[in-house]
Amino acid sequence: MPRIRHTTLACSPGCTVEATLELFGGKWKALILYHLFEDGVLRFGELRRRLPNVTQRMLTNQLRELEADGLVSRTVFPEVPPHVKYALTDLGKTLKPVIQALKTWGDRYAHSVQRNKTGERD
């Protein structure tokens, strides 16, 4: 499904948040970015192993969108067999605090859910 792009970012107070979420929203993009922050440069197969539930087609599409948005760079090495490496661009690296904040929040949330299941108190 084609993504609707904002032509202006002054449409409403939350418009810039919506535009930002469009860049890495969805199930896999934030995880791809997270792994690239952690590991630097990854080959396609390495990303597949880190995201075992993503299909090859979905991973390819998500990487293409991240590349088109200028967040990820793709380098093709003309070898036999050819291989491709993915890395964060300078723009992509600016999302590190956002992705880290999501991870921190998720860790706390998962911990609180686990505590609630076991009946622990703060």
Side-chain angles (χ1 to χ4, degrees):
M1 177 164 85
R3 297 184 302 164
I4 299 170
R5 291 295 186 166
H6 287 272
T7 55
T8 177
L9 295 178
C11 50
S12 72
C15 196
T16 54
V17 173
E18 182 182 351
T20 303
L21 287 173
E22 284 179 8
L23 290 176
F24 66 90
K27 187 171 183 177
W28 303 111
K29 287 183 185 178
L31 292 171
I32 292 167
L33 293 171
Y34 171 77
H35 287 293
L36 289 173
F37 286 129
E38 291 293 306
D39 299 306
V41 178
L42 289 171
R43 292 176 66 163
F44 184 85
E46 293 170 322
L47 279 166
R48 279 288 311 272
R49 283 189 288 282
R50 283 167 177 75
L51 303 167
N53 295 323
V54 68
T55 64
Q56 182 170 336
R57 181 176 179 215
M58 179 57 75
L59 181 57
T60 299
N61 289 341
Q62 298 285 275
L63 285 165
R64 284 181 183 158
E65 288 180 13
L66 288 166
E67 183 183 9
D69 290 332
L71 301 176
V72 170
S73 65
R74 178 179 185 263
T75 305
V76 179
F77 294 86
E79 301 171 353
V80 177
H83 71 272
V84 178
K85 290 189 177 182
Y86 294 92
L88 295 165
T89 63
D90 288 340
L91 179 62
K93 290 175 185 174
T94 65
L95 285 171
K96 188 169 188 171
V98 177
I99 300 297
Q100 284 178 324
L102 288 170
K103 172 134 180 19
T104 299
W105 186 91
D107 289 344
R108 288 181 185 151
Y109 176 74
H111 183 70
S112 73
V113 167
Q114 186 61 35
R115 270 196 338 253
N116 288 340
K117 285 183 178 179
T118 60
E120 289 181 36
R121 296 271 186 210
D122 288 330

